[in-house]
Amino acid sequence: MGAGEPVGVRHVAIIMDGNGRWAKKRLLPRAMGHQRGVEAVRRVVRGARELGLEALTLYAFSTENWRRPEEEVSDLMGLMKRFILSDLDEFAEAGVRLKIIGDYSAFKPDVVELIDGAIARTASNTGTTLAVALNYGAQDEIARAATKAAAKGAITPETISAELDTADMPPLDLMIRTSGELRLSNFLLWQCAYAELYFTDVLWPDFTLDHLREALQCFSGRERRYGGR
C-alpha cells in the first residue's frame, strides 16, 4: 500500500502510550516525554489526512489520569492549550473537524473555553474528524448511553450505539496501542466489539507516519468476519 487511501479503513483509534517510558530511557523529565508525544500527534493527524482517513480518535486524558501527580496533570493541560493555540489554524484550513469525547467540562475554565472555541471553529469542516478523548472512560460512556437510551424507550444495542459519544462517526475499524502494552485500558470498549487490534512496541513519541502505514497494511491483510464463518 502506498500513500493513497488505506484499504477498507475509515476510522482508526490510538492509545498513545509510552511518553513516560520514552523520557525515562533518556533520563529526561516526564514532561519532556509528553512534549515529544504532542509532536507525534501532529505527525499522525497530518498523516491521517494524507491517507484519507475519515476519522481518527486519540486517547489523550482518561478519567483515571486524574490520579497522576498534580504537576503532571498541570503539564498535560498546558500542553493541550499550546497545541490548540499553535495547531488549530493548520487543522482548520485543512478541513479537519475537532470533536471531543468524554466530559471536558471538568477542566479549568480557560481550557474549556479554548476547546469550545476550537470545536466551534471547525464544526462545519468536512475533512478528517479528529476526536480527542478527554476525561474519558468507556465504561462511563456506556453507562451514560444506556441511561439516555432507557429514557427514550427500549434498551437495545442499536439504541445504546445511537447515544455513544462517537455516534456521528464511522464504526471503528482499527485500534492501535503503542509501547507494547496489550490491553484496552477502558477505551472505546463498545466500539471495539469488531474492530481489529494492533499492538506495537514503539513508544508513542517515536511513532511516525510509516508506523501508521504499517498498521494499516497489517489491517488490509486481515479477513473481518464479524462473527460469521
Side-chain angles (χ1 to χ4, degrees), residues 38-190:
V38 169
E39 294 175 17
V41 169
R42 291 189 179 104
R43 290 194 298 268
V44 169
V45 174
R46 290 166 182 156
R49 300 200 317 262
E50 177 183 330
L51 292 166
L53 291 178
E54 292 182 38
L56 174 68
T57 302
L58 302 178
Y59 205 7
F61 193 91
S62 74
T63 50
E64 290 76 27
N65 284 159
W66 292 109
R67 302 172 189 166
R68 295 187 179 187
E70 185 177 347
E71 181 180 0
E72 183 175 356
V73 172
S74 179
D75 287 340
L76 288 168
M77 293 302 106
L79 277 172
M80 189 185 312
K81 289 165 61 177
R82 291 198 293 275
F83 176 74
I84 292 173
L85 289 169
S86 63
D87 291 67
L88 182 60
D89 285 348
E90 175 188 342
F91 293 159
E93 291 171 7
V96 173
R97 178 176 75 101
L98 178 64
K99 177 181 175 66
I100 303 297
I101 64 174
D103 180 17
Y104 67 93
S105 67
F107 296 144
K108 291 182 178 180
D110 59 334
V111 176
V112 173
E113 183 178 358
L114 272 177
I115 294 173
D116 283 340
I119 292 172
R121 181 174 173 187
T122 62
S124 62
N125 287 352
T126 57
T128 299
T129 294
L130 171 61
V132 181
L134 296 175
N135 195 28
Y136 172 88
Q139 292 173 331
D140 173 71
E141 177 193 25
I142 294 168
R144 287 188 283 106
T147 299
K148 291 178 183 177
K152 295 179 180 180
I155 300 178
T156 68
E158 292 74 22
T159 60
I160 291 176
S161 292
E163 301 295 344
L164 293 173
D165 294 348
T166 57
D168 64 341
M169 298 171 66
L172 181 62
D173 294 305
L174 176 64
M175 170 71 77
I176 299 170
R177 181 166 188 155
T178 59
S179 87
E181 301 294 344
L182 306 177
R183 56 182 177 270
L184 294 178
S185 296
N186 199 21
F187 185 46
L188 300 182
L189 299 181
W190 185 282

